[in-house]
Amino acid sequence: MRNINEDTITGAVLDRLADTPDPRLKEIMSALVRHLHDFAREVKLTEHEWMQGIEFLTATGQKCDDKRQEFILLSDTLGLSMLTVALNHSKSAQATEATVFGPFHVPGAPVLSLGSDIANGAKGEPLFVNATVRGTDGKPVAGAVVDVWEADAEGFYDLQRPGLDHAEGRAVFQTDGEGRLYFKAIMPVAYPIPTDGPVGTMLEATRRHPWRPAHVHFIIQAPGYETLITHVFKDGDAYLDSDAVFGVRSSLIGDFRSQPAGVAPDGSMQAGPFHALDFDFVLEPVMQAKP
């Protein structure tokens, strides 16, 4: 097609996609083209503005490395991550809700035995977590693999510590025969997401704060159940209602109880104050395809 103009360009691009063999890819690409073109028409996008957009996306990619995922951060702060979670993880009323994955998970965290301390040098007040993992039928889920990670008392993950040669504040556990999960950690604190990249520039330009409420991350996997990616948030945190990545769910707010020095839940003596969290995770069973 020649002499394409603003009224015919969208149809021309869609025609070029007509022979896409994968129907789902064709659906996604066609919708993407339509919405992008409609967006440009709606705001009357200038060439200069689109070049600024290209430079922003380029800088976002350039900020990514094996320890930093700026595109996940961008998706999170635009609410797209949480939207896809909501679209894909509709659960029964009994099941624990999912929330955003975040940019600070890494595979291969140390596998520790129940009761171990995940801090491994990370600074923070002691936190003792006692949890159970069960199905919606109330039965305990034995042998569930639980990936846990959190920031330290200064709001930094180990990935954000230059030169650190070992994992801190992260571990993988397996529930016991009664579906129990228990370990020692550090009390989470609210922290700002990284603002030294394009996402930070966007937040500043739109007068948004970068703060996330205090939380601990969990991924729970077990055969026969949907994988659960979630957080447990600290009750009373100042940012529960303005989380920079829109990830808070009321059902995920936990009671991190402050305790004076003395006997901890694991029986150890604590010379200073500590905290305790009890939480029940309920997994959604995998739906069996009908014959």
Side-chain angles (χ1 to χ4, degrees), residues 13-62:
V13 177
L14 294 176
D15 287 344
R16 299 288 178 88
L17 298 172
D19 295 330
T20 304
D22 184 327
R24 178 60 174 163
L25 177 61
K26 179 180 178 181
E27 178 185 14
I28 291 173
M29 289 298 299
S30 298
L32 177 65
V33 168
R34 288 195 302 271
H35 286 289
L36 279 176
H37 286 208
D38 286 344
F39 156 73
R41 291 189 184 95
E42 178 183 340
V43 301
K44 294 181 172 55
L45 193 66
T46 69
E47 292 170 283
H48 175 67
E49 289 165 341
W50 181 224
M51 181 53 67
Q52 287 182 307
I54 289 173
E55 291 170 350
F56 175 82
L57 293 174
T58 300
T60 301
Q62 291 171 337

Side-chain angles (χ1 to χ4, degrees), residues 1 20 26 36 69 73 75 111 127 131 138 143 156 160 178 181 189 212:
M1 179 182 291
T20 304
K26 179 180 178 181
L36 279 176
Q69 233 306 343
L73 204 60
S75 174
V111 178
L127 168 68
F156 293 105
Q160 297 173 284
E178 298 178 1
L181 168 71
V189 298
R212 296 217 65 204

Side-chain angles (χ1 to χ4, degrees), residues 176-221:
D176 67 13
E178 298 178 1
R180 295 182 302 173
L181 168 71
Y182 50 95
F183 59 92
K184 184 181 178 182
I186 53 176
M187 186 65 180
V189 298
Y191 64 82
I193 62 174
T195 57
D196 59 340
V199 171
T201 301
M202 179 195 71
L203 293 179
E204 183 179 1
T206 54
R207 297 298 185 268
R208 288 176 55 187
H209 77 68
W211 287 84
R212 296 217 65 204
H215 61 274
V216 181
H217 293 263
F218 294 86
I219 299 177
I220 305 177
Q221 302 178 78

Side-chain angles (χ1 to χ4, degrees), residues 213-258:
H215 61 274
V216 181
H217 293 263
F218 294 86
I219 299 177
I220 305 177
Q221 302 178 78
Y225 297 92
E226 293 183 8
T227 295
L228 174 64
I229 299 174
T230 196
H231 304 1
V232 178
F233 295 93
K234 177 182 175 293
D235 193 15
D237 192 283
Y239 297 102
L240 287 173
D241 293 314
S242 62
D243 181 11
V245 306
F246 309 97
V248 177
R249 295 291 178 268
S250 295
S251 65
L252 301 179
I253 298 174
D255 181 13
F256 290 75
R257 304 182 309 280
S258 297

Side-chain angles (χ1 to χ4, degrees), residues 115-155:
S116 297
D117 186 354
I118 74 170
N120 199 25
K123 298 189 184 314
E125 295 184 357
L127 168 68
F128 293 86
V129 177
N130 282 284
T132 61
V133 180
R134 57 187 176 86
T136 54
D137 59 2
K139 295 180 180 178
V141 180
V145 176
V146 185
D147 203 335
V148 184
W149 69 105
E150 63 171 340
D152 62 24
E154 294 181 335

